[in-house]
Amino acid sequence: TMGGSISARKLSDGTVAAGDCALVESLLPAGGDLPVRVVKVRSMLSEETEPADWAALVGEIAEHLQSGLAAGIVVTHGTDTLSYTAALLYWLFSAARLPIVLAASSTIPSESSEARESLALALRTVREGRGGVSVAYKGKLLAPLNLKYSGGRDDSFSVWNPDAGQDSGGLVISESFLSVPLPDKDVMASLLNDAASRLEVAKLFPGLLGSRLASRLGAESGIDTVILELYGRGTGDMRESGYSLRPLFARGKKCGVTFYCCSQQEKAVDLAGFATASNVWREGAVPMGLLTTESVTALYFAAALVADSPAELKELMEEAAGRR
């Protein structure tokens, strides 16, 4: 259990707070051919997720996989950061032979049957024995990679660029991660916290000063990786002005910063076709193909757990994006 709306409760003042394992246990369907053990990893709302929380979850899953005693694993999770955690588990556990299913709900258990139904779907999926990672939400089983909140009256999620998983390199990272001895949770927390301190994520918008972004880079900042959401297939302002991205890329190159580029639209980033995109590529930016910002961010943290060096981390990032 990782908390979230699926196990949350309403307080007397009307606010929603994290629930506990007992509430999750009360939602489990009666009977069934497999016993269910509920393990508390965190009791929080998903918007409170930090790198150390991921380390605790990843360590718990790895421990149960390596014990050989589990038929499958269900992770109860909130919706706010579901797209990040689902992608992280994909990168690390897509090669697992056992099913790993995230179960989520947009409403708390006291207000609808949604939480109970998501858990039931997740458990059915485990009992069917499908290996790999999936997401149970509103009666549907969704892919974990490129999961996007699409909103609407039903608070729905959809899978953006569903073909990304076909050539994502996820199995390479997962097989590497699963082949090593059981990771220590404190060590993983340290690795993820260090990775977070070196990461900047920025979304391009009209009026964003490229020069201001550039000023954030430098040896004193500690930033060596930038995930940048561009327009279209990787386009942006490359004119000679304060709004241009040129100063950002120039300073980044000087400071040894790597730029990984995603698209705000449903398009594959290939940095070709438009002159502006070609200019971005010439400055050394890495196109992340069909991957969303959430999937790339999760990939960066997964690679930080697997890579033995900055060079290997870059190699894993590019391979997962489909670059050969």
Side-chain angles (χ1 to χ4, degrees), residues 167-168 287-291 299 316-324:
D167 188 29
S168 64
M288 296 309 288
L290 291 168
L291 297 176
L299 168 61
L316 289 170
M317 294 284 289
E318 293 194 27
E319 185 171 7
R323 299 188 71 203
R324 297 292 183 265

Side-chain angles (χ1 to χ4, degrees), residues 222-235:
I223 296 171
D224 64 15
T225 303
V226 174
I227 298 174
L228 190 59
E229 262 194 29
L230 300 172
Y231 305 127
R233 294 187 179 276
T235 57

